[in-house]
Amino acid sequence: MSSALISPDAPLATPPALPETPARAPGHRDPGSVKRAGAAIGPFLWRIAKPLVAIIAFLALWEIAPRVGLVDEVFLPPFSTVIGAVVDLSQSGELWKHVSASLSRALIGFSVAVAVAIPLGIAIAWYRPVSDFLNPILELFRNTAALALLPVFILILGIGEESKVALVIYACTFPILLNTISGVRTVDPLLIKSASSLGLSPLRLFQKVVLPAAVPTIFTGVRMAAASSILVLIAAEMVGAKAGLGYLITASQFNFQIPNMYAGIVAISILGLTINAILVLIERRLSRWRV
């Protein structure tokens, strides 16, 4: 029994030494980390390049088709010729004059529509008496095309800026209004009941639960309205204006300056894409709670 005990004077057994890890050179990189970084960069680059593939193919077809005789080069110039026209118009300052005229009209009308349609849509969706009172007149006007009312706006407000801005307001109001109503009314009832059980007042309930949940649907309408503001305004500028992208396109067609006409169309596309990208960033900022 005593042989199993360790004497106080007996030295303790030393554990075996672990093999030393060789020191790495300052510039050495772990092959495994390099592989993982490469595997992560590949999908990231493809995610960026994938949306550009269709656009690049379309522009290549646009460049090649007139040069090989698939279409008449007089009526559809190559894309490089159109880009040259864009550069010339930009250097002369004419393009910025037309873009600024169209952009100012569109932004004024769009801003007024947002300021009016979102509160009105919230009131219609949240309060039944307001909905019962306004629904008949809204159903009447929302089924009337904006461009059909262009002569009416011109007769009442004249051919100046007021009629064009009013047309943009009318065209933008209904997409925002209808999507706001839909967004507020389709909030998950379970969320509302859960928040109510916590003792939130109606104002805090709307502020903290209903409005954040409705933001994605509201912004769908806002983005649709932004596209409508540009399209309707261009049509209005083609009828009567002295500046604007619609005027540039029509005047270039009448003067048979076909590259300038396509330059105006390209400018409209770039303007629409820019506005949509800004609205998407704002939407993501306001709906950070979404996964």
Side-chain angles (χ1 to χ4, degrees):
M1 189 73 176
S2 61
S3 62
L5 298 176
I6 300 176
S7 171
D9 298 331
L12 294 174
T14 305
L18 296 175
E20 293 185 2
T21 304
R24 293 179 180 175
H28 177 77
R29 302 180 70 179
D30 183 8
S33 65
V34 174
K35 277 186 180 180
R36 288 191 296 271
I41 291 174
F44 175 73
L45 293 177
W46 173 242
R47 198 180 314 123
I48 295 176
K50 184 168 60 173
L52 300 177
V53 172
I55 296 176
I56 293 173
F58 170 73
L59 296 179
L61 179 62
W62 185 355
E63 178 70 25
I64 294 170
R67 295 190 182 278
V68 299
L70 292 178
V71 292
D72 193 339
E73 190 172 346
V74 175
F75 300 110
L76 182 63
F79 181 68
S80 57
T81 305
V82 175
I83 293 300
V86 172
V87 172
D88 293 339
L89 290 172
S90 301
Q91 291 176 346
S92 65
E94 186 178 357
L95 183 61
W96 171 245
K97 180 185 75 172
H98 296 301
V99 169
S100 60
S102 295
L103 188 60
S104 61
R105 294 164 183 156
L107 286 180
I108 292 172
F110 176 73
S111 301
V112 172
V114 170
V116 171
I118 292 181
L120 184 60
I122 291 172
I124 292 173
W126 199 246
Y127 299 105
R128 175 70 66 178
V130 178
S131 174
D132 294 339
F133 179 72
L134 292 179
N135 262 343
I137 191 71
L138 292 178
E139 288 295 326
L140 173 65
F141 279 105
R142 81 180 185 91
N143 291 298
T144 304
L147 291 177
L149 296 177
L150 177 58
V152 177
F153 285 119
I154 292 177
L155 286 174
I156 296 174
L157 300 174
I159 204 169
E161 299 296 312
E162 293 82 3
S163 60
K164 297 174 182 59
V165 173
L167 186 68
V168 172
I169 294 172
Y170 181 87
C172 293
T173 296
F174 289 100
I176 302 173
L177 180 65
L178 297 176
N179 278 274
T180 301
I181 295 171
S182 176
V184 173
R185 285 181 175 174
T186 56
V187 175
D188 190 352
L190 185 59
L191 292 176
I192 298 177
K193 291 179 181 178
S194 301
S196 300
S197 65
L198 296 175
L200 290 181
S201 65
L203 181 60
R204 296 290 290 174
L205 173 66
F206 183 81
Q207 179 185 0
K208 295 296 184 181
V209 177
V210 176
L211 193 56
V215 161
T217 307
I218 292 174
F219 261 87
T220 300
V222 170
R223 290 167 62 188
M224 292 170 59
S228 298
S229 68
I230 299 295
L231 298 178
V232 170
L233 178 63
I234 297 304
E237 289 174 344
M238 289 180 176
V239 174
K242 295 182 179 179
L245 292 173
Y247 169 79
L248 172 63
I249 294 172
T250 305
S252 300
Q253 179 196 12
F254 288 157
N255 296 324
F256 212 72
Q257 298 173 333
I258 304 302
N260 290 356
M261 183 188 76
Y262 283 102
I265 296 172
V266 170
I268 292 170
S269 301
I270 295 174
L271 184 62
L273 287 173
T274 304
I275 293 174
N276 184 69
I278 293 172
L279 292 176
V280 168
L281 290 176
I282 297 174
E283 179 186 359
R284 289 178 179 173
R285 178 73 175 176
L286 295 178
S287 56
R288 288 177 292 178
W289 53 270
R290 300 176 69 190
V291 178

